[in-house]
Amino acid sequence: MEMRKAGAEKCGLTIVVTGAVFAVFIITRLWRLMDIPFGLHTDETSMAYSAWCLSQYGVDRHLNSMPVYLLNFGGGQSPLYPYLLAALFKIFDFHLALIRIPSLIFSLLTLIFGMGIVRLIYPDQRYAFLITGALVTISPYFIMAGRLGLDCNLMLGCSTVFLYCFLRAIGSGRKRWYAMAGVSGGIMLYSYALSYLMLPLFLMMALIYVIVVHKFSFWNWLIMAIPLGILSFPLVLEQIVNLYDLSPIRLGIFTITKMDSYRASEFERFSFESLRIALQDIFIGDMWLHNSIPGYLNLYWLSIPLAMFGLIGTIIKWISSFKRRELLQNVFVLFWFLAVLFVVCHIYPCINQVNSIFFTYAFFVTEGIVLTTGFCSKAVKRVVTSVIVFVYLLCFFRFGSYYFRGVYHRSLSASIF
């Protein structure tokens, strides 16, 4: 009877904390959404204009009919955000407040599916998913990215949904989850062009791993490959047109566009300097005020040692599972982290380009906290947990005061946005 009562109390506490996480999430994403950040980013403005043209006339601002990839300022713009915004304009008519709504929605997807991934990996850890949810809710990067309408930032939500579907597929072996992984992976390709390289690299590492641990099913992977192949086909044509300098192609109402400048030239040899910059972007921030704020690290300073501990722990588990030929789902999160990091080491990166790595960062922090408290006795565990919670809340209140009470607003309005 007492055990049942204790279980009910824990369940009630979980519900309360989950509700609190979602309440804080809604407040930090919606409050003064059109005032903070100040004004509209150049890419927000151009994307919104193309979205309005698509909603009214079925063409972008360059008069291309339903382009597979938008021109923007000549170098291209990922199509998922403009088409989602065009749908909102079609339903609600034009309004400035709608411009940042897709970003907010995909930030919510990161929260929901991110917590879902942690629950899949840690089914016996009652509060692990809440750690991830809290990090996504209160960390500077997640707050700022979820309030800015940059097309590339949707890749974070898309990749989190894909990872969830992929883990469900691998864990359950059910064909519908493999199909959903294929669909979500195909949609992700329309969120940001760098996914063209990150997704195949991740799938290659995952394929080798499942073969080694004897969890590979040809028919299941084929089921995943079919929708992924169908959705990626127009983008393959897009690359062919631009790589070989061909004329635009019309496929019914859709246009395979020819870019003024083909940005594949930005991809170069592996560079340790790019690796250094990427790690700085991930753990500290970059030079752009709309991405990060000096003095406020992306996931706060405490996350760095915890993430390093969690990353090392995951690598050790990976090696151990590899030797025993046992499947470990943590490994797939590690693979995504490595895939993103490897790709951005071939360009000169900024936070926008590494955006899809931030869920894995939050996951490794969660892993680090789980490992740290796992070594403690019950009494010490409570003390350590209380200290961690206190530090994060202190950092959040400090950042929130700066970001939401006008100081950031004035700093950004005085800079080049």
Side-chain angles (χ1 to χ4, degrees):
M1 190 69 177
E2 291 182 359
M3 291 181 61
R4 187 178 299 176
K5 184 178 179 181
E9 289 177 353
K10 288 182 178 180
C11 183
L13 180 61
T14 302
I15 294 172
V16 170
V17 176
T18 303
V21 167
F22 276 91
V24 174
F25 178 90
I26 295 300
I27 294 170
T28 55
R29 290 344 185 248
L30 280 177
W31 190 38
R32 300 184 65 189
L33 181 60
M34 287 312 301
D35 297 329
I36 306 173
F38 173 79
L40 288 176
H41 190 280
T42 305
D43 284 342
E44 283 185 300
T45 306
S46 63
M47 178 270 301
Y49 181 39
S50 286
W52 181 81
C53 292
L54 287 167
S55 71
Q56 300 299 309
Y57 309 109
V59 298
D60 66 5
R61 70 180 192 270
H62 299 280
L63 302 183
N64 294 307
S65 174
M66 304 296 287
V68 168
Y69 201 75
L70 281 73
L71 282 174
N72 196 19
F73 296 107
Q77 187 171 57
S78 304
L80 182 59
Y81 203 120
Y83 278 103
L84 290 174
L85 186 57
L88 291 175
F89 286 160
K90 192 73 173 178
I91 297 170
F92 301 106
D93 205 356
F94 178 83
H95 195 286
L96 283 175
L98 294 176
I99 294 175
R100 290 171 175 168
I101 293 301
S103 201
L104 187 152
I105 292 171
F106 276 72
S107 181
L108 180 61
L109 291 178
T110 303
L111 174 66
I112 294 172
F113 285 90
M115 291 195 297
I117 289 172
V118 176
R119 293 205 71 171
L120 287 175
I121 294 174
Y122 294 112
D124 299 326
Q125 294 281 348
R126 183 182 295 272
Y127 300 114
F129 78 98
L130 291 173
I131 298 172
T132 306
L135 285 168
V136 172
T137 297
I138 69 170
S139 297
Y141 171 76
F142 290 106
I143 292 174
M144 295 174 69
R147 297 171 60 91
L148 187 63
L150 296 184
D151 58 297
C152 57
N153 284 348
L154 294 194
M155 188 180 172
L156 174 58
C158 287
S159 61
T160 308
V161 174
F162 165 74
L163 277 175
Y164 177 82
C165 294
F166 185 83
L167 288 176
R168 287 295 300 264
I170 295 295
S172 67
R174 294 180 178 177
K175 292 177 173 54
R176 70 170 181 267
W177 282 110
Y178 278 94
M180 291 178 69
V183 171
S184 58
I187 293 173
M188 178 173 62
L189 295 174
Y190 291 85
S191 67
Y192 194 30
L194 286 181
S195 63
Y196 306 166
L197 302 170
M198 296 170 182
L199 182 58
L201 183 57
F202 167 82
L203 290 174
M204 181 183 70
M205 290 189 289
L207 178 60
I208 293 171
Y209 181 64
V210 296
I211 290 175
V212 169
V213 299
H214 308 299
K215 292 293 184 179
F216 173 69
S217 168
F218 173 80
W219 294 111
N220 284 342
W221 277 69
L222 179 62
I223 288 170
M224 179 172 63
I226 290 173
L228 181 57
I230 293 171
L231 287 168
S232 64
F233 178 70
L235 295 173
V236 172
L237 291 180
E238 182 74 34
Q239 304 315 303
I240 293 173
V241 164
N242 286 276
L243 184 62
Y244 295 101
D245 198 23
L246 304 177
S247 299
I249 299 173
R250 285 291 296 271
L251 296 176
I253 63 172
F254 298 100
T255 303
I256 307 297
T257 46
K258 173 71 170 64
M259 300 293 113
D260 296 338
S261 60
Y262 188 43
R263 295 177 65 180
S265 59
E266 297 177 7
F267 198 76
E268 300 175 349
R269 292 182 179 181
F270 177 90
S271 166
F272 283 104
E273 176 62 12
S274 292
L275 173 61
R276 182 193 68 79
I277 295 170
L279 292 175
Q280 177 179 296
D281 291 343
I282 295 165
F283 294 107
I284 299 175
D286 64 11
M287 62 180 289
W288 305 106
L289 274 179
H290 61 270
N291 284 333
S292 60
I293 302 172
Y296 299 91
L297 278 64
N298 291 328
L299 267 68
Y300 304 119
W301 64 268
L302 184 57
S303 293
I304 296 178
L306 288 172
M308 290 299 100
F309 190 31
L311 178 60
I312 293 170
T314 301
I315 292 173
I316 293 172
K317 290 178 182 179
W318 172 29
I319 296 171
S320 178
S321 72
F322 197 84
K323 290 179 179 179
R324 299 194 308 269
R325 300 295 189 270
E326 294 179 356
L327 181 73
L328 185 69
Q329 290 189 315
N330 307 48
V331 172
F332 298 110
V333 179
L334 175 64
F335 287 164
W336 185 257
F337 176 86
L338 294 175
V340 176
L341 192 60
F342 179 80
V343 169
V344 298
C345 284
H346 292 78
I347 57 176
Y348 193 86
C350 64
I351 284 181
N352 304 111
Q353 292 163 327
V354 300
N355 76 82
S356 64
I357 210 169
F358 281 99
F359 164 71
T360 66
Y361 182 6
F363 174 84
F364 291 133
V365 175
T366 303
E367 177 89 4
I369 293 174
V370 170
L371 290 174
T372 300
T373 55
F375 290 120
C376 303
S377 63
K378 192 171 183 179
V380 175
K381 183 177 180 178
R382 288 178 178 174
V383 174
V384 172
T385 302
S386 299
V387 170
I388 291 173
V389 170
F390 175 78
V391 171
Y392 272 111
L393 287 177
L394 186 64
C395 290
F396 172 56
F397 287 131
R398 178 172 173 265
F399 168 77
S401 178
Y402 178 88
Y403 186 78
F404 289 108
R405 294 184 64 187
V407 182
Y408 175 72
H409 178 91
R410 292 191 294 271
S411 300
L412 194 59
S413 63
S415 68
I416 299 175
F417 188 31

